[in-house]
Amino acid sequence: GAGVSQSPSNKVTEKGKDVELRCDPISGHTALYWYRQSLGQGLEFLIYFQGNSAPDKSGLPSDRFSAERTGGSVSTLTIQRTQQEDSAVYLCASSTSGLNEQFFGPGTRLTVL
Amino acid sequence: DAKTTQPTSMDCAEGRAANLPCNHSTISGNEYVYWYRQIHSQGPQYIIHGLKNNETNEMASLIITEDRKSSTLILPHATLRDTAVYYCIVRASGAGSYQLTFGKGTKLSVIP
């Protein structure tokens, strides 16, 4: 079956611009996560959605970052006024619940010039 | 979550078993051991997880010591496609434990 998909696969933007990254989770998965991975580093948790519960936004690095999940399915991560330090691979994952194994998408590579 | 320690890198000959160790000496009773891997330029991939007993699936086997302070991931017949960074993660089972915290992992190179 279809896995987690993300778009775009690559995004190059200029400093100060806003960007939107999209994640389509596996159908039926109620939990959705956003992480980012800087070059040569491990994963950094950003945000977690579970069903209709309020999301856990504790990992968002600043108020320039926000995320939505519409209809319990597709999620959009928005970064406003991008900075060069935002350059990273942004990974989305989904799972059947918050405690089960997470299935990752291929990621979006964001480059801020 | 408990911290894990893994070797930085390992080599394995193609067709041989790859044994990847992980130390988690501060693991607590409700924490599971998870293994993920990340092939270059791809998202992480779940491999296996366990609590106390040894586990096996179509990808790998997980051997956890009796005191649970260390574990070994075994890829029984490594192929070139198994070249990746392998992450050992210790994760609790309770609420609020959904985050995956990846360290540096072990870079496994399968040699022809």
Side-chain angles (χ1 to χ4, degrees):
Chain A
V4 177
S5 61
Q6 294 185 244
S7 60
S9 55
N10 280 285
K11 176 71 177 179
V12 179
T13 190
E14 293 180 347
K15 178 181 172 181
K17 300 282 189 183
D18 298 351
V19 295
E20 283 190 353
L21 311 180
R22 177 186 167 104
C23 172
D24 282 90
I26 293 173
S27 178
H29 280 192
T30 59
L32 186 147
Y33 319 74
W34 284 97
Y35 296 86
R36 74 176 174 182
Q37 188 171 33
S38 300
L39 187 63
Q41 301 298 310
L43 260 62
E44 176 187 0
F45 167 76
L46 297 177
I47 189 169
Y48 163 67
F49 295 90
Q50 172 60 57
N52 296 321
S53 302
D56 176 355
K57 305 179 181 180
S58 61
L60 295 179
S62 78
D63 59 7
R64 295 186 295 103
F65 288 72
S66 63
E68 290 185 341
R69 188 178 185 193
T70 54
S73 180
V74 171
S75 177
T76 302
L77 177 70
T78 301
I79 309 173
Q80 296 178 311
R81 305 181 302 282
T82 53
Q83 304 294 313
Q84 289 183 332
E85 60 263 29
D86 299 335
S87 295
V89 176
Y90 288 81
L91 290 157
C92 176
S94 70
S95 65
T96 53
S97 79
L99 302 178
N100 290 341
E101 57 267 27
Q102 299 177 21
F103 294 85
F104 284 80
T108 293
R109 181 175 298 278
L110 175 66
T111 303
V112 182
L113 301 177
Chain B
D1 290 341
K3 185 177 178 179
T4 62
T5 305
Q6 298 177 253
T8 303
S9 64
M10 292 181 63
D11 290 343
C12 177
E14 187 179 16
R16 303 297 294 268
N19 296 281
L20 294 99
C22 179
N23 284 324
H24 31 79
S25 58
T26 59
I27 193 170
S28 59
N30 69 339
E31 290 181 317
Y32 288 74
V33 180
Y34 281 77
W35 283 84
Y36 281 75
R37 73 179 181 184
Q38 190 168 23
I39 296 169
H40 183 61
S41 298
Q42 297 183 20
Q45 178 188 23
Y46 165 81
I47 301 173
I48 199 167
H49 75 282
L51 182 64
K52 292 182 185 178
N53 299 322
N54 298 337
E55 301 287 344
T56 295
N57 63 20
E58 65 278 4
M59 289 183 68
S61 295
L62 174 61
I63 308 298
I64 302 173
T65 58
E66 191 169 343
D67 63 8
R68 303 208 323 124
K69 293 186 177 182
S70 66
S71 61
T72 301
L73 178 75
I74 301 172
L75 307 179
H77 305 287
T79 71
L80 299 179
R81 289 176 296 179
D82 292 323
T83 292
V85 179
Y86 287 76
Y87 297 98
C88 170
I89 302 155
V90 173
R91 181 177 170 218
S93 60
S97 302
Y98 39 78
Q99 298 180 28
L100 291 177
T101 304
F102 284 30
K104 294 293 179 68
T106 296
K107 180 174 173 55
L108 175 69
S109 298
V110 180
I111 312 298

